[in-house]
Amino acid sequence: MCAVDEPLATAWSAVVAGLDGPVRVHHGSVLDVVAQAVVSPANSYGWMRGGIDAVYARAFPGIEQSVRSAILASYGGELPVGEAVIAPTGESEPAWLISAPTMREPAERLPADTVHPYLAARAVFLQWRQGKLEQGPVRDAVRTIAMPGLGTGVGGVEPATCARQVAAAWQEVFGQNGHSR
């Protein structure tokens, strides 16, 4: 769990203390973490023009087209909130980007009572646990996933809300002891 700002880092730290499993907080950019995958808290269409997605688009030329192609191939062009796709970055590390929308439309402000961070996090964790790549299961190719705040930038979700929802998704997918169900 990565945070460039102090409120999100504090919120991540508060929830990580209650999670079992290989979860840790990095105070800095997701691109500073040695990871095989990064998470894009995208929009449903795969446009990568703002927020952390714009950072990814600069770091991984062609990633937007790869994500949009994956969305088109698997979902007809619109990836629902609560689903995720994985696309190659074209780099050796991180080799993969997991796109899990927190909003349908680009630059959408999310309501205070949104559950979209939970849905996006759950989609990421399920993609890792059950997803397939041409060379085999995602979990065999990806050992570490760098996750920024989900909806906390452009979406306007409070850091504590995001952190609680990501922790709830972790516990649902991996259980209280942090192991895959």
Side-chain angles (χ1 to χ4, degrees):
M1 298 177 176
C2 304
V4 293
D5 63 345
E6 193 57 43
L8 184 57
T10 300
W12 282 142
S13 295
V15 299
V16 164
L19 295 177
D20 287 329
V23 182
R24 65 181 193 275
V25 176
H26 170 73
H27 196 250
S29 170
V30 294
L31 297 178
D32 294 339
V33 175
V34 175
Q36 293 75 50
V38 292
V39 174
S40 166
N43 58 74
S44 291
Y45 304 102
W47 295 112
M48 301 180 75
R49 312 280 166 80
I52 188 67
D53 285 328
V55 173
Y56 292 150
R58 286 189 300 276
F60 315 121
I63 191 62
E64 182 179 46
Q65 187 56 49
S66 294
V67 168
R68 291 183 42 79
S69 293
I71 292 170
L72 182 61
S74 297
Y75 293 90
E78 182 178 346
L79 179 62
V81 173
E83 298 290 331
V85 295
I86 188 167
T89 64
E91 301 293 324
S92 59
E93 224 165 63
W96 303 100
L97 181 137
I98 301 171
S99 181
T102 57
M103 59 189 67
R104 182 171 185 255
E105 298 290 333
E108 183 180 335
R109 282 298 274 192
L110 299 172
D113 64 348
T114 186
V115 295
H116 290 192
Y118 164 81
L119 294 171
R122 184 176 179 275
V124 168
F125 301 146
L126 289 173
Q127 179 66 250
W128 179 83
R129 190 178 80 183
Q130 300 169 341
K132 302 277 187 232
L133 300 167
E134 285 182 20
Q135 61 269 38
V138 170
R139 67 183 171 274
D140 289 350
V142 175
R143 292 176 310 285
T144 301
I145 299 171
M147 178 183 289
L150 303 179
T152 58
V154 173
V157 174
E158 290 295 320
T161 299
C162 170
R164 279 192 312 273
Q165 290 188 23
V166 170
W170 175 272
Q171 290 176 330
E172 180 181 319
V173 173
F174 299 113
Q176 292 294 343
N177 63 4
H179 295 98
S180 184
R181 290 183 179 181

